[in-house]
């Protein structure tokens, strides 16, 4: 088959870590190994490349008149202007690719809902892959402008889900929840298909004797969704009774937005929740290359995923693939991935005490 995907950026590591890009990083080579011809379309990638299966577009408008018209549209109605810009750019790239190679199927994320109009412009079946959807995101602290943009996005994504010819999602709960939330779908095909996770080499598998028995690992963005503030609070609570406890955080610092609209970055969270005497025991690395995570996973005795909401996070699947002991929140797709007490521990989302107890249990008696 000739398959085309849209990716927010490409390749993995070229921009801010993104779950869709991570999934495609695992999916694309696996499909190619099976004999499929797989293409990636992106608006954020290397302009100069020699990969015949990578198509890099641009959101830039050329010419002074186009730039002026674009600026006016974004000023009058930024959400509509952004939607139409994305629709035109992405559809045009898929259309040109189809004209050149004859695509059999397109898979596109639900973000912003542009597939509802793409399907009318392209003679190729489109599978809508649910990575969100955005209505699930906790939206505390939004400004009026952010709320307006989010409301528009949620409506458009709903229209796309209802109109989709085919739907897929890595989590059954998320798939059913989205369909029910939006009052159904016309999709003839609706299927739960878990995200692929490659098996590591034997030498990369987690071994208790190689790990620091007092070390915690958190891989993910510092933001509200990933629960970075919950992780830091749990560390602070445990560090007071365990003088050897350390924690590493690997991921971009987007800041945790509070219900009052305050955005607190790592240094703010550190100052607010962690006593100064413990600061040196919490190591923030920022974004880390995918291949470098192997060593971090091997060094930690427990990996934590305290997300307030997740669909089917790669960070959980990857940690499980490496055999790492895990404590994770019982949130949406995570509870479909981990068998509590067997392949990890599940704890109540947003609960610092529950997370702390789970960490202690793993450190004292690894599964």
């Amino acid at each position: 088959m000739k398959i085309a995907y849209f990716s927010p950026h490409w390749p993995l590591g070229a921009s801010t870590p993104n779950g869709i890009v991570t999934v495609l990083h695992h999916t694309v080579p696996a499909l190619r190994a099976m004999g499929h011809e797989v293409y990636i379309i992106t608006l954020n990638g290397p302009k100069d490349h020699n990969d015949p299966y990578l198509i890099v577009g641009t959101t830039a408008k050329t010419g002074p008149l186009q730039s002026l018209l674009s600026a006016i549209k974004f000023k009058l109605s930024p959400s509509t202007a952004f939607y139409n810009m994305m629709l035109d750019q992405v559809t045009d790239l898929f259309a040109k690719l189809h004209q050149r190679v004859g695509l059999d199927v397109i898979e596109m994320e639900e973000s912003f809902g542009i597939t509802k109009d793409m399907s009318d412009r392209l003679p190729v079946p489109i599978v809508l892959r649910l990575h969100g959807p955005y209505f699930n995101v906790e939206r505390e602290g939004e400004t009026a402008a952010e709320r307006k943009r989010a409301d528009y996005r949620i409506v458009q994504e709903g229209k796309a889900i209802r109109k989709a010819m085919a739907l897929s999602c890595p989590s059954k709960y998320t798939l059913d929840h989205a369909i029910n939330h939006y009052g159904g779908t016309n999709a003839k095909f609706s299927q739960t298909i878990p995200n692929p996770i490659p098996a590591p080499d034997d030498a990369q598998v987690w071994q208790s004797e190689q790990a620091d028995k007092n070390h915690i690992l958190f891989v993910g963005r510092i933001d509200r969704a990933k629960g970075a503030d919950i992780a830091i609070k749990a560390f602070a609570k445990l560090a007071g009774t365990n003088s050897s406890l350390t924690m590493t955080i690997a991921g971009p610092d987007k800041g945790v937005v509070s219900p009052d609209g305050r955005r607190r970055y790592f240094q703010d969270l550190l100052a607010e929740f962690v006593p100064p005497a413990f600061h040196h025991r919490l190591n923030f690395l920022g974004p880390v290359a995918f291949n470098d995570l192997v060593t971090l996973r091997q060094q930690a005795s427990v990996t934590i995923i305290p997300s307030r909401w997740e669909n089917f996070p790669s960070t959980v699947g990857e940690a499980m693939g490496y055999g790492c002991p895990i404590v994770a929140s019982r949130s949406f797709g995570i509870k479909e991935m981990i068998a509590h007490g067997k392949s990890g521990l599940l704890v109540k989302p947003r609960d610092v005490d529950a997370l702390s107890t789970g960490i202690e249990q793993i450190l004292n008696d690894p599964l």
Side-chain angles (χ1 to χ4, degrees):
M1 292 182 66
K2 296 179 180 179
I3 307 166
Y5 291 96
F6 177 81
S7 180
H9 67 258
W10 196 260
L12 183 69
S15 187
T16 302
N18 179 284
I20 299 168
V21 183
T22 302
V23 170
L24 291 179
H25 176 76
H26 298 323
T27 302
V28 171
L31 288 174
R32 287 173 177 166
M34 296 169 64
H36 299 292
E37 195 172 306
V38 186
Y39 296 85
I40 291 288
I41 284 178
T42 184
L43 300 179
N44 184 8
K47 304 304 178 186
D48 299 320
H49 65 87
N50 57 5
D51 184 350
Y53 299 100
L54 173 62
I55 296 88
V56 181
T58 175
T59 57
K61 297 294 184 181
T62 58
L65 179 58
Q66 285 181 306
S67 297
L68 176 61
L69 290 174
S70 178
I72 293 172
K73 290 177 182 178
F74 271 89
K75 182 68 174 178
L76 294 175
S77 181
S79 295
T80 303
F82 177 80
Y83 176 91
N84 288 329
M85 179 190 71
M86 285 285 293
L87 172 65
D88 292 342
Q89 293 286 335
V90 175
T91 304
D92 183 60
L93 292 170
F94 276 120
K96 289 178 179 177
L97 177 61
H98 176 60
Q99 187 177 29
R100 177 163 63 88
V101 303
L103 294 172
D104 293 305
V105 65
I106 291 169
E107 182 177 289
M108 177 81 184
E109 58 173 299
E110 86 285 349
S111 296
F112 311 108
I114 67 172
T115 58
K116 71 181 179 64
D117 290 313
M118 280 178 57
S119 61
D120 295 331
R121 301 187 186 186
L122 294 171
V124 184
I126 299 176
V127 177
L128 184 61
R129 176 73 167 175
L130 302 186
H131 289 274
Y134 201 76
F135 77 87
N136 289 307
V137 174
E138 291 192 1
R139 298 171 56 192
E140 289 89 343
E142 286 181 338
T143 64
E146 289 170 339
R147 188 179 307 112
K148 186 175 182 179
R149 289 195 296 269
D151 288 343
Y152 179 88
R153 174 176 176 173
I154 289 168
V155 169
Q156 297 305 314
E157 289 182 359
K159 291 178 180 178
I161 289 170
R162 286 193 294 268
K163 185 179 177 179
M165 181 195 76
L167 283 173
S168 73
C169 183
S171 160
K172 184 179 188 305
Y173 179 92
T174 303
L175 178 62
D176 293 343
H177 184 53
I179 292 173
N180 292 334
H181 177 82
Y182 284 116
T185 177
N186 293 322
K188 298 178 181 178
F189 172 90
S190 179
Q191 184 67 47
T192 301
I193 304 175
N195 292 331
I197 302 294
D201 296 333
D202 290 344
Q204 297 176 322
V205 173
W206 183 89
Q207 301 289 336
S208 60
E209 59 271 17
Q210 297 177 1
D212 181 340
K213 65 179 182 179
N214 290 298
H215 189 58
I216 305 167
L217 175 65
F218 172 91
V219 177
R221 298 186 305 271
I222 292 185
D223 66 8
R224 185 171 180 80
K226 298 296 183 182
D229 55 325
I230 300 169
I232 290 172
K233 289 177 183 179
F235 166 77
K237 179 177 180 178
L238 295 171
T241 57
N242 183 343
S243 61
S244 299
L245 189 69
T246 58
M247 182 165 80
T248 293
I249 297 177
D253 190 356
K254 296 295 185 179
V256 177
V257 179
S258 304
D260 61 3
R262 268 194 315 145
R263 186 178 294 273
R264 294 171 296 174
Y265 295 93
F266 171 74
Q267 290 298 333
D268 303 315
L269 298 169
L270 187 69
E272 184 171 353
F273 299 123
V274 182
F278 304 157
H279 285 192
H280 69 285
R281 291 156 57 188
L282 208 168
N283 185 23
F284 173 53
L285 301 178
V288 172
F290 180 78
N291 291 334
D292 293 337
L293 291 175
V294 175
T295 301
L296 295 180
R297 297 191 193 283
Q298 292 173 327
Q299 293 173 342
S301 278
V302 58
T303 294
I304 60 173
I305 303 97
S307 302
R308 287 177 167 86
W309 178 86
E310 288 281 10
N311 185 339
F312 196 95
S314 293
T315 186
V316 173
E318 289 160 4
M320 293 180 70
Y322 284 93
C324 303
I326 301 171
V327 181
S329 59
R330 191 183 291 104
S331 173
F332 280 44
I334 296 179
K335 60 190 177 186
E336 298 173 32
M337 303 173 74
I338 296 175
H340 179 65
K342 295 181 180 179
S343 53
L345 296 181
L346 294 172
V347 298
K348 183 180 178 181
R350 307 174 186 82
D351 192 326
V352 174
D353 291 339
L355 177 62
S356 302
T357 300
I359 293 171
E360 278 191 310
Q361 182 177 337
I362 294 289
L363 293 179
N364 292 332
D365 184 21
L367 295 173

